[in-house]
Amino acid sequence: MANPIIFRRNTNIGAPDAESDASFLKECFLDNGDVGALMDTDDPKCVILGRTGAGKSALISEVLKRSEHVVELSPEALALSYVNNSEVLKFFEAAGVNLDVFYSLLWRHILTVELLKMRYEINNAEKQRFFLDRLSELFSRDRVKERALRYLREWGDQFWEETEYRTKEFTRKLETDLKASAQVAASFITLGAEGAKKLSEEQVMEVRECGNRVVNAVQVKELHDVINLLSENVFDNRQKKYIVVIDRLDEAWVSDHIRFKLLKALIETVKTFKKIQNVKIILALRTDLHFRMIKETPTAGFQEEKYRAMYLPLRWTRQQLVEMLEKRVSTMFQRQYTRDGVTLKDILPNNQIEQRTAAEYMLDRTFFRPREAIIFLNECIARAEGTTRITAGLIRQAEVQYSQQRLQSLGDEWRRDYPNLLLSTSLLSRVENPFTIESLGSERAEKAALAILEVNGQRDEIYHSAQAFYLEGKKAWGEFIEDLMLIHYMVGLVGVKPEPHLGRQWSYMDQPTMSRDQLKASSQIDVHKTFWAALGVIRRGKGAYGPES
């Protein structure tokens, strides 16, 4: 390049998380069609599914920016911790009362009031009275609409309150009704789940019968009528679209026990609001949490395929990721030098690395998610300070740090499910890639099990499998390795070629989980290239992987 650009200290192409990346996102957001699908109220796609770093928050941010009538809700603002901590609900649930109907009604109530507040700008008592009086005049002779109006009047005095207040009030009403129905001492109820354990079998049956009757009677018909009212008479202007966005559902806003039930109820509730044509409820959820939700909340009659039309899986191609990086590189140098035309080709080495272009080489070491591509290129740029170009050697150096960071991040991402995940990667340390379960052998299995058991950590599936193999002799070494490989496949550490005639499977591109029947002792397994440097993977015929290899 004439008049070459020199990399300066602290130069980067943006932050890896959307919350810290506002300035770059404003200029560099790459829309591959997902924004239009989300904002189209006729399009059923409304549940954004993607792994950490796939761009869920960036997509939500763009929807919020482009929408005229939109409100964003966060789990923390919904006071769902009150539901989680209710000893009354814990007592009745432990006694066998099915609270799924209540969870669904709670979401309906929250979303209905938020939509009405947005539609009529209800933020004080005067506007609330005007809204209800107007509806009363319109539907005074319609019995169905009257039922809906009764419901709105009962809760209408809270429209301008914070969502947290309304959630608590709705829950308290159910608590009151449940306590009134129970023919047991109040002291049992105040003990929550422990109180239910103190009941006789006959008392449990009575509590369960009364509790289910109360829950199933909680204004189901009235709320159904309200949704019809919204659809036919409130949100009837096709020129105006109203959007409610719920993000940050991945965070620890309640305990897992109730979180998955609330998430499932939320998705079912969102489906009911699709009847309102110019309204859309948009959710963002991590793929692994969605999978766990389905797995841990089995419901009779629930057919997950009925909801697939609502899902918007986030997927990125190489071309899209390169285009995203191009935009950011161009923006970075425009800010530094006020000049256009700087591209990836201008700053990356011309020579190939292992028969791949530099960009391809780097993307091979990602799960095809924007966050990873940004982090890797930033690591390269940091090492190029004072020079005019990133060399292949600098990419190799950056890869070591990047690989270690990604392995640690993977452990953080899956810590709630597999706190011993990083310990289990000792099984893959300096492994010859690709490999089979047979080729690993019993000695490597024993060393990995010992590494897991030596740390007095949390007891997860990984720990229990190591214990059953190494301490109790209940598992053969091959079965123990199978357990780890199934988990390592799910989190993305390895890819599996189950049979010689089948292609290699990766959880972030193909099926998210693999069954034990698919994984055989002779199946070919590959450590993902992202982790080669961190784990010192040995490539067949080339030696240990690292910056010099």
Side-chain angles (χ1 to χ4, degrees):
M1 293 175 60
N3 187 22
I5 291 170
I6 298 176
F7 288 103
R8 298 173 180 172
R9 180 170 296 184
N10 299 321
T11 297
N12 61 65
I13 59 166
D17 61 297
E19 293 78 10
S20 307
D21 196 43
S23 61
F24 268 89
L25 275 178
K26 183 178 180 180
E27 301 177 54
C28 305
F29 180 80
L30 181 64
D31 185 7
N32 55 15
D34 289 341
V35 176
L38 288 174
M39 296 185 65
D40 183 356
T41 54
D42 292 325
D43 193 311
K45 293 181 178 62
C46 58
V47 181
I48 307 168
L49 292 178
R51 290 186 63 163
T52 299
K56 298 184 297 298
S57 295
L59 189 54
I60 288 288
S61 177
E62 194 68 15
V63 170
L64 292 171
K65 186 172 71 175
R66 297 190 192 185
S67 303
E68 183 179 359
H69 305 288
V70 63
V71 62
E72 181 180 17
L73 302 178
S74 67
E76 293 88 348
L78 298 179
L80 295 172
S81 58
Y82 180 85
V83 180
N84 180 68
N85 297 328
S86 169
E87 296 298 339
V88 177
L89 297 186
K90 288 178 182 177
F91 170 83
F92 282 91
E93 189 169 37
V97 176
N98 187 350
L99 295 176
D100 290 351
V101 172
F102 165 70
Y103 298 143
S104 294
L105 291 173
L106 177 61
W107 284 119
R108 283 199 198 187
H109 179 71
I110 290 170
L111 294 173
T112 294
V113 176
E114 288 297 333
L115 285 168
L116 288 172
K117 278 184 67 178
M118 181 165 42
R119 168 67 177 84
Y120 291 101
E121 299 179 357
I122 301 173
N123 53 23
N124 57 50
E126 184 179 351
K127 288 187 176 181
Q128 175 262 332
R129 284 194 299 271
F130 174 78
F131 156 67
L132 290 176
D133 290 345
R134 179 182 175 187
L135 290 185
S136 296
E137 291 173 6
L138 289 172
F139 309 121
S140 58
R141 298 182 181 180
D142 188 321
R143 293 180 62 188
V144 173
K145 302 291 169 52
E146 269 293 329
R147 280 201 301 266
L149 284 171
R150 280 200 302 272
Y151 178 86
L152 294 179
R153 284 193 178 280
E154 179 177 353
W155 299 98
D157 60 343
Q158 302 166 24
F159 278 0
W160 64 88
E161 298 281 1
E162 293 294 329
T163 312
E164 177 181 1
Y165 175 82
R166 294 194 301 275
T167 300
K168 288 181 179 178
E169 286 302 298
F170 194 83
T171 306
R172 284 169 182 154
K173 186 178 187 308
L174 176 67
E175 289 176 324
T176 300
D177 293 344
L178 284 172
K179 285 191 289 186
S181 74
Q183 303 298 313
V184 295
S187 58
F188 287 118
I189 299 177
T190 57
L191 291 174
E194 291 301 315
K197 293 178 182 178
K198 299 179 182 294
L199 301 180
S200 66
E201 186 174 339
E202 182 179 350
Q203 287 176 313
V204 168
M205 291 179 63
E206 289 179 2
V207 168
R208 185 182 305 157
E209 182 180 347
C210 294
N212 282 327
R213 191 183 311 121
V214 169
V215 171
N216 291 329
V218 180
Q219 299 165 319
V220 177
K221 184 63 179 173
E222 288 85 346
L223 262 174
H224 178 74
D225 294 335
V226 168
I227 291 178
N228 286 337
L229 177 68
L230 298 181
S231 175
E232 297 169 11
N233 305 102
V234 175
F235 295 96
D236 53 352
N237 184 345
R238 295 289 290 161
Q239 302 305 310
K240 291 186 177 181
K241 298 180 180 180
Y242 296 85
I243 296 176
V244 177
V245 171
I246 306 180
D247 194 8
R248 300 170 66 185
L249 291 166
D250 305 337
E251 299 177 8
W253 37 283
V254 290
S255 63
D256 282 352
H257 167 69
I258 192 172
R259 175 164 63 154
F260 294 126
K261 292 182 179 181
L262 284 167
L263 286 175
K264 193 170 189 178
L266 176 57
I267 291 175
E268 291 174 336
T269 302
V270 168
K271 196 172 190 295
T272 66
F273 276 83
K274 292 179 64 60
K275 181 177 182 179
I276 311 173
Q277 292 187 334
N278 57 332
V279 163
K280 198 155 193 181
I281 316 296
I282 298 173
L283 317 177
L285 191 62
R286 253 189 13 225
T287 307
D288 58 291
L289 284 181
H290 177 259
F291 170 76
R292 281 190 62 196
M293 177 198 77
I294 299 298
K295 178 183 175 182
E296 298 192 18
T297 56
T299 305
F302 178 81
Q303 295 176 298
E304 201 264 336
E305 61 267 20
K306 290 183 178 179
Y307 297 83
R308 286 179 187 161
M310 299 167 57
Y311 300 153
L312 179 66
L314 295 188
R315 298 184 184 278
W316 292 79
T317 65
R318 286 181 185 274
Q319 183 179 352
Q320 289 168 344
L321 288 173
V322 168
E323 186 179 349
M324 181 269 297
L325 292 176
E326 291 278 16
K327 281 175 172 279
R328 287 173 175 265
V329 167
S330 177
T331 299
M332 174 183 70
F333 283 110
Q334 284 177 32
R335 292 180 179 181
Q336 279 200 346
Y337 295 94
T338 317
R339 61 181 289 173
D340 300 322
V342 181
T343 67
L344 271 178
K345 185 182 292 186
D346 296 324
I347 67 171
L348 292 179
N350 291 322
N351 54 308
Q352 291 192 331
I353 310 174
E354 296 183 1
Q355 300 180 328
R356 308 286 283 168
T357 67
E360 289 173 336
Y361 179 90
M362 294 172 69
L363 291 179
D364 284 345
R365 284 148 180 79
T366 71
F367 288 175
F368 282 16
R369 298 183 288 194
R371 177 177 298 179
E372 296 154 339
I374 291 170
I375 290 173
F376 200 167
L377 188 52
N378 276 341
E379 285 288 344
C380 295
I381 291 171
R383 283 164 174 73
E385 180 186 342
T387 69
T388 61
R389 201 180 195 100
I390 297 169
T391 64
L394 288 177
I395 292 176
R396 293 283 205 181
Q397 291 176 23
E399 184 181 349
V400 177
Q401 178 74 12
Y402 165 78
S403 182
Q404 292 168 347
Q405 288 178 351
R406 296 325 299 156
L407 185 61
Q408 182 61 53
S409 294
L410 191 73
D412 294 339
E413 179 181 348
W414 290 90
R415 190 175 305 282
R416 287 174 68 87
D417 300 309
Y418 304 111
N420 293 301
L421 178 62
L422 292 183
L423 291 173
S424 74
T425 62
S426 63
L427 182 71
L428 304 176
S429 176
R430 299 185 66 81
V431 71
E432 189 172 0
N433 200 67
F435 62 90
T436 64
I437 291 176
E438 289 176 329
S439 70
L440 291 180
S442 60
E443 185 177 348
R444 185 178 282 267
E446 289 174 1
K447 287 181 179 179
L450 185 59
I452 294 166
L453 296 170
E454 276 184 333
V455 178
N456 188 24
Q458 298 180 47
R459 307 306 196 246
D460 59 1
E461 288 181 42
I462 292 172
Y463 184 93
H464 290 309
S465 181
Q467 185 179 46
F469 158 59
Y470 192 80
L471 297 181
E472 301 170 355
K474 294 179 180 179
K475 285 182 184 283
W477 65 265
E479 189 179 1
F480 166 63
I481 293 179
E482 274 185 22
D483 290 343
L484 294 192
M485 287 303 104
L486 291 174
I487 293 171
H488 287 182
Y489 171 84
M490 181 170 64
V491 303
L493 268 168
V494 302
V496 178
K497 185 178 173 66
E499 301 278 2
H501 64 281
L502 296 176
R504 186 169 286 99
Q505 304 284 304
W506 298 97
S507 62
Y508 62 92
M509 295 177 63
D510 306 298
Q511 56 184 2
T513 61
M514 183 165 287
S515 69
R516 194 173 293 273
D517 291 338
Q518 293 173 285
L519 183 63
K520 299 175 175 59
S522 59
S523 296
Q524 190 180 89
I525 304 173
D526 289 77
V527 176
H528 195 282
K529 290 182 179 180
T530 297
F531 311 108
W532 279 12
L535 295 173
V537 169
I538 299 172
R539 297 170 294 170
R540 291 191 181 276
K542 292 192 177 183
Y545 189 81
E548 303 303 325
S549 61

